[in-house]
Amino acid sequence: MSKICFVCQQEIKNEMITALGNEYCLACFKCSICNKNIQGFFVIDNKPVCKEDYESRLPKCNKCQTPVKGSKLTDNQNNIYHPQCFSCNTCNNLITASYFILNNKVECGTCYQTQKDQLKKQSIKEVGTCQNCKKSIQSDQKCIIVGPMERYHLDGCFKCVKCRKDLQSQFIVVDAQRKTYACVEC
């Protein structure tokens, strides 16, 4: 009994391929996407597909950008990685425990903390100069603002002229020109 090609519906006279439950002439067995003749194949939607087209449809590793076949890891932003690519973006050490995402990149705990500290330092700004010690007051330091250009470090620089204790909340102006202040109790 002769075999009939699933595609051309002609009798198969020479080499044939049996795949997906059908027989094909060698010339008719083609990739369902690019239409190139194939011998080895993958299956998508129960149709034969060449290796290149199959791999082009696989998700790409977020680190190396090559197709992920087999085992894969996913971060908490649904990015996919080869297990050997799931590494810290900064130090390149493989992630084997907890990790963090910073600017859409995977970071180990150590690198994440270092970068977080650097970002914090970059966000600290000078808010003026202390009238007492003449040193810079940074946005992360406690200070008291008495007037538009009159600022003091809260601890150690804003003191009562009479008892020399740190002034905190309530105080009276002793001499506005000389910028001297006193406790309400004094």
Side-chain angles (χ1 to χ4, degrees):
M1 183 153 117
S2 60
K3 303 277 182 173
I4 303 295
C5 174
F6 180 74
V7 175
C8 70
Q9 297 297 307
Q10 301 293 318
E11 182 180 343
I12 302 171
K13 295 184 182 181
N14 296 323
E15 293 182 61
M16 88 170 189
I17 295 175
T18 301
L20 305 171
N22 299 305
E23 284 86 24
Y24 299 84
C25 309
L26 197 56
C28 289
F29 191 66
K30 298 181 179 189
C31 173
S32 63
I33 296 171
C34 70
N35 211 29
K36 291 180 185 172
N37 283 56
I38 54 176
Q39 292 196 1
F41 68 97
F42 295 85
V43 177
I44 296 178
D45 296 330
N46 207 29
K47 295 177 185 168
V49 178
C50 68
K51 179 181 178 183
E52 292 80 18
D53 286 324
Y54 176 75
E55 288 183 354
S56 73
R57 283 164 172 65
L58 289 174
K60 304 259 188 291
C61 174
N62 198 50
K63 186 94 171 194
C64 72
Q65 297 304 309
T66 61
V68 178
K69 306 174 225 170
S71 297
K72 64 185 175 189
L73 296 172
T74 306
D75 66 18
N76 59 3
Q77 294 185 316
N78 293 322
N79 294 314
I80 296 171
Y81 300 85
H82 296 106
Q84 66 273 17
C85 290
F86 194 62
S87 61
C88 176
N89 184 63
T90 303
C91 70
N92 238 5
N93 288 335
L94 281 179
I95 304 290
T96 58
S98 62
Y99 65 92
F100 300 86
I101 302 292
L102 184 64
N103 298 324
N104 293 324
K105 301 212 187 289
V106 175
E107 300 289 339
C108 69
T110 303
C111 292
Y112 173 78
Q113 191 59 50
T114 301
Q115 290 183 50
K116 191 174 155 188
D117 292 345
Q118 287 172 347
L119 289 172
K120 185 177 177 184
K121 284 179 186 174
Q122 290 171 358
S123 69
I124 296 172
K125 297 188 177 16
E126 185 176 326
V127 294
T129 303
C130 179
Q131 289 294 120
N132 183 43
C133 71
K134 307 299 184 210
K135 291 182 180 175
S136 167
I137 300 172
Q138 304 298 314
S139 60
D140 66 334
Q141 295 174 314
K142 293 180 182 178
C143 72
I144 188 159
I145 300 172
V146 179
M149 300 303 290
E150 190 176 354
R151 298 158 195 254
Y152 299 88
H153 289 104
L154 189 58
D155 297 325
C157 289
F158 193 58
K159 295 184 177 289
C160 174
V161 293
K162 297 178 183 176
C163 71
R164 303 302 301 155
K165 289 182 182 175
D166 282 347
L167 295 172
Q168 294 291 320
S169 55
Q170 293 184 348
F171 58 90
I172 56 172
V173 178
V174 176
D175 185 342
Q177 282 188 317
R178 294 173 74 202
K179 299 177 183 171
T180 53
Y181 306 93
C183 303
V184 177
E185 299 86 32
C186 290

